[in-house]
Amino acid sequence: MRAQSSAIAPTGIAVSGRPGTSIGTLQAALGVIAFSLTFPATAWGLEGFGPWSLVAVRSVLAALIAGGCLLALRVPLPGRAHWPGLAVVAAGVVVGFPLLTTLALRTSTTAHAAVVVGLLPLTTALCSALRVGTKRSAGRATIGRRESAGPSWLVAPTRRSRICHSPAPLRGAAESQPTSPDPLSPSRTFWTAALVGAAAVVAFTVQQSGGALTTADLYLFGALLVCAAGYTEGGRLARVMPGWQVVGWALALCLPIGVPAAVLALSYEPVRLTAHSVTGLLWVAAGSQFLGLVVWYRGMAAIGIPKASQLQLAQPLLTLVWSVLLLGEHLTVAAPLTAAAVLVCIAVTQRARG
Protein backbone atom coordinates (compact mmCIF):
# COMPACT_ATOMS: atom_id res chain seq x y z
CA MET A 1 0.00 0.00 0.00
CA ARG A 2 2.81 2.38 0.76
CA ALA A 3 4.44 1.71 -2.58
CA GLN A 4 1.19 2.51 -4.36
CA SER A 5 0.71 5.71 -2.39
CA SER A 6 4.21 6.97 -3.15
CA ALA A 7 3.67 6.24 -6.82
CA ILE A 8 0.44 8.19 -6.99
CA ALA A 9 1.66 11.31 -5.23
CA PRO A 10 4.14 12.56 -7.86
CA THR A 11 1.50 12.28 -10.57
CA GLY A 12 -0.75 14.76 -8.80
CA ILE A 13 2.13 17.17 -8.34
CA ALA A 14 3.09 17.03 -12.00
CA VAL A 15 -0.42 17.80 -13.21
CA SER A 16 -0.96 20.68 -10.81
CA GLY A 17 2.41 22.22 -11.80
CA ARG A 18 1.34 23.22 -15.33
CA PRO A 19 -0.84 26.23 -14.38
CA GLY A 20 1.86 27.35 -11.96
CA THR A 21 4.41 27.36 -14.76
CA SER A 22 2.21 29.60 -16.92
CA ILE A 23 1.60 31.97 -14.04
CA GLY A 24 5.32 32.01 -13.25
CA THR A 25 6.13 32.92 -16.85
CA LEU A 26 3.62 35.78 -16.74
CA GLN A 27 5.05 37.05 -13.45
CA ALA A 28 8.61 36.97 -14.76
CA ALA A 29 7.49 38.81 -17.91
CA LEU A 30 5.82 41.53 -15.83
CA GLY A 31 9.04 41.89 -13.88
CA VAL A 32 11.00 42.35 -17.11
CA ILE A 33 8.59 45.09 -18.27
CA ALA A 34 8.94 46.85 -14.92
CA PHE A 35 12.74 46.63 -15.08
CA SER A 36 12.85 47.92 -18.67
CA LEU A 37 11.37 51.21 -17.45
CA THR A 38 13.97 51.63 -14.69
CA PHE A 39 16.59 53.52 -16.72
CA PRO A 40 14.15 56.02 -18.28
CA ALA A 41 12.55 56.55 -14.85
CA THR A 42 16.00 57.06 -13.32
CA ALA A 43 16.83 59.62 -16.00
CA TRP A 44 13.61 61.44 -15.12
CA GLY A 45 14.44 61.29 -11.42
CA LEU A 46 17.89 62.78 -12.02
CA GLU A 47 16.20 65.89 -13.45
CA GLY A 48 15.21 66.91 -9.90
CA PHE A 49 17.37 64.81 -7.53
CA GLY A 50 21.06 64.18 -7.12
CA PRO A 51 22.24 60.59 -7.67
CA TRP A 52 22.84 59.82 -3.99
CA SER A 53 19.53 61.40 -2.96
CA LEU A 54 17.63 59.47 -5.62
CA VAL A 55 19.09 56.10 -4.62
CA ALA A 56 18.67 56.67 -0.87
CA VAL A 57 15.12 58.01 -1.08
CA ARG A 58 13.96 55.25 -3.43
CA SER A 59 15.29 52.57 -1.08
CA VAL A 60 13.60 54.20 1.92
CA LEU A 61 10.25 54.51 0.13
CA ALA A 62 10.43 50.92 -1.11
CA ALA A 63 11.40 49.69 2.37
CA LEU A 64 8.43 51.51 3.92
CA ILE A 65 6.07 49.88 1.42
CA ALA A 66 7.57 46.45 2.00
CA GLY A 67 7.74 46.90 5.77
CA GLY A 68 4.10 47.95 5.88
CA CYS A 69 3.12 44.78 4.03
CA LEU A 70 5.21 42.60 6.33
CA LEU A 71 3.71 44.19 9.45
CA ALA A 72 0.15 44.14 8.17
CA LEU A 73 0.34 40.44 7.36
CA ARG A 74 2.33 39.65 10.54
CA VAL A 75 5.00 37.79 8.64
CA PRO A 76 7.44 36.05 11.02
CA LEU A 77 11.16 36.72 10.81
CA PRO A 78 13.09 34.50 8.39
CA GLY A 79 15.22 31.69 9.76
CA ARG A 80 18.81 32.38 10.70
CA ALA A 81 20.06 30.39 7.69
CA HIS A 82 18.30 32.77 5.26
CA TRP A 83 19.82 36.06 6.48
CA PRO A 84 23.17 35.72 4.63
CA GLY A 85 21.30 35.23 1.35
CA LEU A 86 19.03 38.18 2.13
CA ALA A 87 22.12 40.28 2.79
CA VAL A 88 23.43 39.40 -0.68
CA VAL A 89 20.08 40.40 -2.22
CA ALA A 90 20.12 43.67 -0.28
CA ALA A 91 23.71 44.50 -1.25
CA GLY A 92 23.31 43.58 -4.91
CA VAL A 93 19.73 44.44 -5.87
CA VAL A 94 18.61 47.05 -3.33
CA VAL A 95 21.81 49.10 -3.02
CA GLY A 96 24.52 48.08 -5.50
CA PHE A 97 22.67 47.98 -8.81
CA PRO A 98 20.56 51.14 -8.29
CA LEU A 99 23.56 53.14 -7.03
CA LEU A 100 25.99 52.08 -9.76
CA THR A 101 23.52 52.51 -12.63
CA THR A 102 22.34 55.89 -11.31
CA LEU A 103 25.93 57.12 -11.14
CA ALA A 104 26.47 55.83 -14.69
CA LEU A 105 23.35 57.55 -16.06
CA ARG A 106 24.70 60.95 -15.07
CA THR A 107 26.96 60.83 -18.14
CA SER A 108 25.63 57.86 -20.13
CA THR A 109 22.48 57.64 -22.23
CA THR A 110 19.82 55.12 -21.30
CA ALA A 111 20.26 53.39 -24.68
CA HIS A 112 23.98 52.88 -24.04
CA ALA A 113 23.32 51.61 -20.52
CA ALA A 114 20.59 49.28 -21.76
CA VAL A 115 22.97 47.57 -24.20
CA VAL A 116 25.66 47.06 -21.55
CA VAL A 117 23.18 45.80 -18.95
CA GLY A 118 21.80 43.51 -21.65
CA LEU A 119 24.48 41.11 -20.43
CA LEU A 120 22.59 40.71 -17.14
CA PRO A 121 20.73 37.49 -18.12
CA LEU A 122 24.04 35.97 -19.23
CA THR A 123 25.79 37.11 -16.06
CA THR A 124 22.94 35.76 -13.93
CA ALA A 125 23.01 32.37 -15.67
CA LEU A 126 26.80 32.27 -15.27
CA CYS A 127 26.56 33.15 -11.58
CA SER A 128 23.89 30.48 -11.10
CA ALA A 129 26.03 27.87 -12.90
CA LEU A 130 29.07 28.70 -10.79
CA ARG A 131 27.05 28.57 -7.59
CA VAL A 132 25.58 25.18 -8.48
CA GLY A 133 29.06 23.89 -9.30
CA THR A 134 30.39 25.13 -5.97
CA LYS A 135 27.57 23.46 -4.04
CA ARG A 136 28.10 20.17 -5.90
CA SER A 137 31.84 20.32 -5.20
CA ALA A 138 31.11 20.90 -1.52
CA GLY A 139 28.72 17.95 -1.57
CA ARG A 140 31.36 15.70 -3.09
CA ALA A 141 33.87 16.86 -0.48
CA THR A 142 31.40 15.93 2.27
CA ILE A 143 30.91 12.47 0.77
CA GLY A 144 34.67 12.08 0.51
CA ARG A 145 35.11 12.91 4.17
CA ARG A 146 32.48 10.35 5.09
CA GLU A 147 34.20 7.67 3.00
CA SER A 148 37.61 8.47 4.52
CA ALA A 149 36.18 7.78 7.98
CA GLY A 150 35.92 4.08 7.06
CA PRO A 151 33.60 1.57 5.43
CA SER A 152 29.89 1.88 6.07
CA TRP A 153 29.80 -1.36 8.07
CA LEU A 154 32.04 0.24 10.74
CA VAL A 155 29.38 2.85 11.50
CA ALA A 156 26.76 1.98 14.07
CA PRO A 157 23.66 0.98 12.10
CA THR A 158 20.50 3.02 12.50
CA ARG A 159 17.03 1.53 12.68
CA ARG A 160 16.53 2.27 8.98
CA SER A 161 19.81 0.66 7.99
CA ARG A 162 19.05 -2.47 10.01
CA ILE A 163 15.80 -2.93 8.14
CA CYS A 164 17.06 -2.10 4.64
CA HIS A 165 20.74 -3.04 4.69
CA SER A 166 22.68 -3.62 1.51
CA PRO A 167 26.41 -4.22 1.36
CA ALA A 168 28.53 -1.31 0.17
CA PRO A 169 30.25 -1.78 -3.19
CA LEU A 170 33.95 -2.45 -3.19
CA ARG A 171 36.10 0.68 -3.61
CA GLY A 172 38.09 -0.84 -6.44
CA ALA A 173 34.94 -1.66 -8.42
CA ALA A 174 33.61 1.88 -7.94
CA GLU A 175 36.86 3.45 -9.09
CA SER A 176 37.03 1.24 -12.18
CA GLN A 177 33.75 2.57 -13.54
CA PRO A 178 34.04 5.51 -15.98
CA THR A 179 32.79 8.81 -14.67
CA SER A 180 30.13 10.60 -16.70
CA PRO A 181 30.25 14.37 -17.22
CA ASP A 182 28.38 16.53 -14.77
CA PRO A 183 25.05 17.47 -16.41
CA LEU A 184 24.88 20.69 -14.43
CA SER A 185 28.32 21.99 -15.40
CA PRO A 186 28.32 24.53 -18.28
CA SER A 187 29.37 23.13 -21.65
CA ARG A 188 31.92 24.55 -24.06
CA THR A 189 29.08 26.01 -26.10
CA PHE A 190 27.88 27.90 -23.03
CA TRP A 191 31.31 29.39 -22.36
CA THR A 192 31.91 30.25 -26.03
CA ALA A 193 28.60 32.09 -26.36
CA ALA A 194 29.20 33.83 -23.04
CA LEU A 195 32.59 35.12 -24.17
CA VAL A 196 31.24 36.22 -27.56
CA GLY A 197 28.39 38.14 -25.93
CA ALA A 198 30.75 39.81 -23.48
CA ALA A 199 33.16 40.70 -26.30
CA ALA A 200 30.31 42.27 -28.31
CA VAL A 201 29.31 44.49 -25.38
CA VAL A 202 32.91 45.49 -24.64
CA ALA A 203 33.47 46.34 -28.30
CA PHE A 204 30.29 48.43 -28.33
CA THR A 205 31.21 50.35 -25.19
CA VAL A 206 34.74 51.03 -26.41
CA GLN A 207 33.47 52.17 -29.81
CA GLN A 208 30.84 54.43 -28.26
CA SER A 209 33.33 55.88 -25.77
CA GLY A 210 35.93 56.83 -28.36
CA GLY A 211 38.36 53.98 -27.90
CA ALA A 212 38.44 53.56 -24.13
CA LEU A 213 36.10 52.58 -21.33
CA THR A 214 34.64 55.46 -19.36
CA THR A 215 33.85 55.70 -15.68
CA ALA A 216 30.17 55.18 -16.54
CA ASP A 217 31.03 51.91 -18.28
CA LEU A 218 32.90 50.69 -15.21
CA TYR A 219 29.87 51.53 -13.07
CA LEU A 220 27.65 49.52 -15.44
CA PHE A 221 29.93 46.47 -15.47
CA GLY A 222 30.08 46.57 -11.68
CA ALA A 223 26.29 46.78 -11.57
CA LEU A 224 26.10 43.62 -13.71
CA LEU A 225 28.14 41.61 -11.23
CA VAL A 226 26.37 42.67 -8.04
CA CYS A 227 22.90 42.39 -9.55
CA ALA A 228 23.58 38.90 -10.93
CA ALA A 229 24.65 37.76 -7.46
CA GLY A 230 21.51 39.30 -5.95
CA TYR A 231 19.24 37.71 -8.56
CA THR A 232 20.79 34.29 -8.02
CA GLU A 233 20.40 34.41 -4.24
CA GLY A 234 16.92 35.90 -4.52
CA GLY A 235 15.78 33.18 -6.90
CA ARG A 236 17.13 30.53 -4.52
CA LEU A 237 15.41 32.07 -1.49
CA ALA A 238 12.14 32.45 -3.40
CA ARG A 239 11.93 28.65 -3.48
CA VAL A 240 11.65 28.49 0.30
CA MET A 241 9.70 31.69 1.02
CA PRO A 242 7.33 33.91 -1.00
CA GLY A 243 9.13 36.18 -3.46
CA TRP A 244 7.66 39.38 -2.04
CA GLN A 245 9.01 38.43 1.40
CA VAL A 246 12.50 37.99 -0.07
CA VAL A 247 12.30 41.53 -1.43
CA GLY A 248 10.62 42.88 1.70
CA TRP A 249 13.22 41.56 4.13
CA ALA A 250 16.08 42.64 1.86
CA LEU A 251 14.65 46.17 1.79
CA ALA A 252 14.09 46.10 5.54
CA LEU A 253 17.76 45.24 6.04
CA CYS A 254 18.74 48.44 4.23
CA LEU A 255 16.32 50.74 6.09
CA PRO A 256 18.65 51.54 9.06
CA ILE A 257 21.27 52.67 6.56
CA GLY A 258 18.89 54.21 4.04
CA VAL A 259 17.21 56.72 6.36
CA PRO A 260 20.39 58.52 7.53
CA ALA A 261 21.83 58.28 4.01
CA ALA A 262 18.71 59.95 2.58
CA VAL A 263 18.82 62.74 5.20
CA LEU A 264 22.51 63.36 4.56
CA ALA A 265 22.18 63.28 0.75
CA LEU A 266 19.17 65.59 0.70
CA SER A 267 21.01 68.11 2.85
CA TYR A 268 23.93 68.29 0.38
CA GLU A 269 22.31 67.80 -3.03
CA PRO A 270 19.78 70.29 -4.42
CA VAL A 271 16.23 69.10 -5.05
CA ARG A 272 13.95 70.41 -7.78
CA LEU A 273 10.50 68.81 -7.79
CA THR A 274 9.01 68.44 -11.24
CA ALA A 275 6.45 66.09 -12.75
CA HIS A 276 9.22 64.04 -14.34
CA SER A 277 11.42 63.84 -11.24
CA VAL A 278 8.57 62.84 -8.91
CA THR A 279 7.17 60.29 -11.39
CA GLY A 280 10.62 58.80 -11.91
CA LEU A 281 11.25 58.57 -8.16
CA LEU A 282 7.90 56.91 -7.47
CA TRP A 283 8.37 54.39 -10.26
CA VAL A 284 11.89 53.30 -9.30
CA ALA A 285 10.79 53.02 -5.66
CA ALA A 286 7.42 51.29 -5.98
CA GLY A 287 7.62 49.76 -9.47
CA SER A 288 11.23 48.69 -10.00
CA GLN A 289 12.41 48.33 -6.40
CA PHE A 290 9.41 46.49 -4.94
CA LEU A 291 6.59 45.37 -7.24
CA GLY A 292 8.88 44.46 -10.12
CA LEU A 293 11.17 42.43 -7.88
CA VAL A 294 8.20 40.70 -6.24
CA VAL A 295 6.78 39.31 -9.49
CA TRP A 296 10.29 38.64 -10.82
CA TYR A 297 11.35 36.48 -7.88
CA ARG A 298 8.01 34.67 -7.86
CA GLY A 299 8.47 33.93 -11.56
CA MET A 300 12.04 32.70 -11.06
CA ALA A 301 10.90 30.41 -8.25
CA ALA A 302 8.17 28.94 -10.48
CA ILE A 303 10.03 28.44 -13.77
CA GLY A 304 13.69 28.47 -12.67
CA ILE A 305 16.52 30.97 -13.04
CA PRO A 306 17.65 29.91 -16.57
CA LYS A 307 14.15 30.15 -18.09
CA ALA A 308 13.45 33.44 -16.35
CA SER A 309 16.72 34.79 -17.71
CA GLN A 310 15.52 33.91 -21.20
CA LEU A 311 12.53 36.22 -20.75
CA GLN A 312 14.92 38.97 -19.70
CA LEU A 313 16.35 38.91 -23.23
CA ALA A 314 13.67 41.43 -24.17
CA GLN A 315 14.65 43.96 -21.47
CA PRO A 316 17.39 45.88 -23.34
CA LEU A 317 15.28 46.07 -26.49
CA LEU A 318 12.31 47.36 -24.49
CA THR A 319 14.53 49.94 -22.80
CA LEU A 320 15.73 51.14 -26.21
CA VAL A 321 12.08 51.67 -27.19
CA TRP A 322 11.32 53.56 -23.95
CA SER A 323 14.44 55.73 -24.39
CA VAL A 324 13.12 56.91 -27.75
CA LEU A 325 9.48 57.32 -26.73
CA LEU A 326 9.93 58.82 -23.26
CA LEU A 327 13.29 60.60 -23.49
CA GLY A 328 13.54 61.43 -27.18
CA GLU A 329 16.98 59.84 -27.54
CA HIS A 330 18.38 59.08 -30.99
CA LEU A 331 19.73 55.58 -31.43
CA THR A 332 22.90 54.78 -33.33
CA VAL A 333 22.95 51.77 -35.62
CA ALA A 334 25.38 50.00 -33.27
CA ALA A 335 22.96 49.99 -30.31
CA PRO A 336 20.18 47.73 -31.69
CA LEU A 337 22.72 45.58 -33.58
CA THR A 338 24.74 44.93 -30.43
CA ALA A 339 21.57 44.29 -28.41
CA ALA A 340 20.47 41.74 -31.02
CA ALA A 341 23.91 40.07 -30.98
CA VAL A 342 23.78 39.76 -27.19
CA LEU A 343 20.26 38.35 -27.45
CA VAL A 344 21.48 35.61 -29.80
CA CYS A 345 24.43 34.77 -27.53
CA ILE A 346 22.20 34.51 -24.48
CA ALA A 347 19.74 32.32 -26.37
CA VAL A 348 22.62 29.98 -27.25
CA THR A 349 23.76 29.79 -23.63
CA GLN A 350 20.24 28.98 -22.46
CA ARG A 351 19.92 26.18 -25.04
CA ALA A 352 23.34 24.85 -24.03
CA ARG A 353 22.27 24.80 -20.36
CA GLY A 354 18.94 23.19 -21.18
Side-chain angles (χ1 to χ4, degrees):
M1 293 299 294
R2 287 187 178 181
Q4 292 177 353
S5 299
S6 61
I8 295 174
T11 305
I13 295 174
V15 173
S16 61
R18 294 177 181 176
T21 302
S22 301
I23 295 175
T25 302
L26 176 61
Q27 290 171 335
L30 291 176
V32 170
I33 296 174
F35 297 153
S36 69
L37 286 164
T38 300
F39 285 173
T42 301
W44 276 5
L46 288 173
E47 294 179 8
F49 295 90
W52 297 93
S53 299
L54 181 61
V55 173
V57 173
R58 70 181 275 184
S59 66
V60 170
L61 292 178
L64 292 176
I65 297 173
C69 294
L70 292 172
L71 289 175
L73 297 176
R74 298 181 179 179
V75 178
L77 289 172
R80 182 179 300 178
H82 300 325
W83 285 108
L86 290 172
V88 174
V89 176
V93 179
V94 178
V95 177
F97 186 81
L99 177 60
L100 293 173
T101 53
T102 300
L103 292 174
L105 286 173
R106 292 183 303 169
T107 56
S108 173
T109 63
T110 58
H112 179 90
V115 174
V116 177
V117 178
L119 277 177
L120 183 56
L122 181 61
T123 313
T124 303
L126 178 61
C127 184
S128 174
L130 292 176
R131 194 183 192 287
V132 169
T134 302
K135 290 182 68 177
R136 289 180 66 87
S137 298
R140 293 192 184 101
T142 302
I143 295 174
R145 287 193 299 269
R146 290 175 180 173
E147 291 179 349
S148 64
S152 59
W153 51 268
L154 289 178
V155 182
T158 60
R159 181 175 182 269
R160 181 181 181 87
S161 63
R162 285 194 297 267
I163 297 174
C164 305
H165 176 72
S166 60
L170 295 177
R171 181 177 297 273
E175 291 178 350
S176 63
Q177 295 177 355
T179 58
S180 59
D182 189 351
L184 293 179
S185 61
S187 63
R188 289 185 179 180
T189 303
F190 177 92
W191 290 110
T192 301
L195 292 176
V196 171
V201 171
V202 171
F204 169 79
T205 55
V206 171
Q207 187 270 334
Q208 293 288 301
S209 304
L213 296 177
T214 64
T215 303
D217 295 325
L218 297 179
Y219 283 142
L220 292 172
F221 284 123
L224 281 175
L225 297 178
V226 297
C227 191
Y231 277 177
T232 302
E233 285 300 309
R236 181 185 66 84
L237 289 173
R239 295 180 179 274
V240 296
M241 68 175 70
W244 74 271
Q245 293 184 20
V246 175
V247 180
W249 289 118
L251 288 168
L253 274 177
C254 298
L255 190 58
I257 302 175
V259 172
V263 173
L264 183 62
L266 290 172
S267 63
Y268 279 93
E269 293 179 335
V271 176
R272 186 169 60 91
L273 298 180
T274 63
H276 276 183
S277 63
V278 173
T279 302
L281 172 62
L282 293 178
W283 177 257
V284 294
S288 303
Q289 196 87 359
F290 182 66
L291 297 177
L293 287 174
V294 166
V295 293
W296 173 246
Y297 281 139
R298 287 178 65 91
M300 276 201 299
I303 65 178
I305 295 176
K307 290 185 178 180
S309 297
Q310 271 189 310
L311 293 176
Q312 208 174 17
L313 298 176
Q315 182 175 331
L317 299 177
L318 287 174
T319 302
L320 292 178
V321 174
W322 301 134
S323 66
V324 173
L325 297 179
L326 300 178
L327 303 176
E329 293 184 358
H330 298 283
L331 300 180
T332 62
V333 178
L337 289 180
T338 306
V342 172
L343 188 151
V344 172
C345 291
I346 299 174
V348 172
T349 62
Q350 297 300 322
R351 181 177 293 273
R353 283 172 56 87

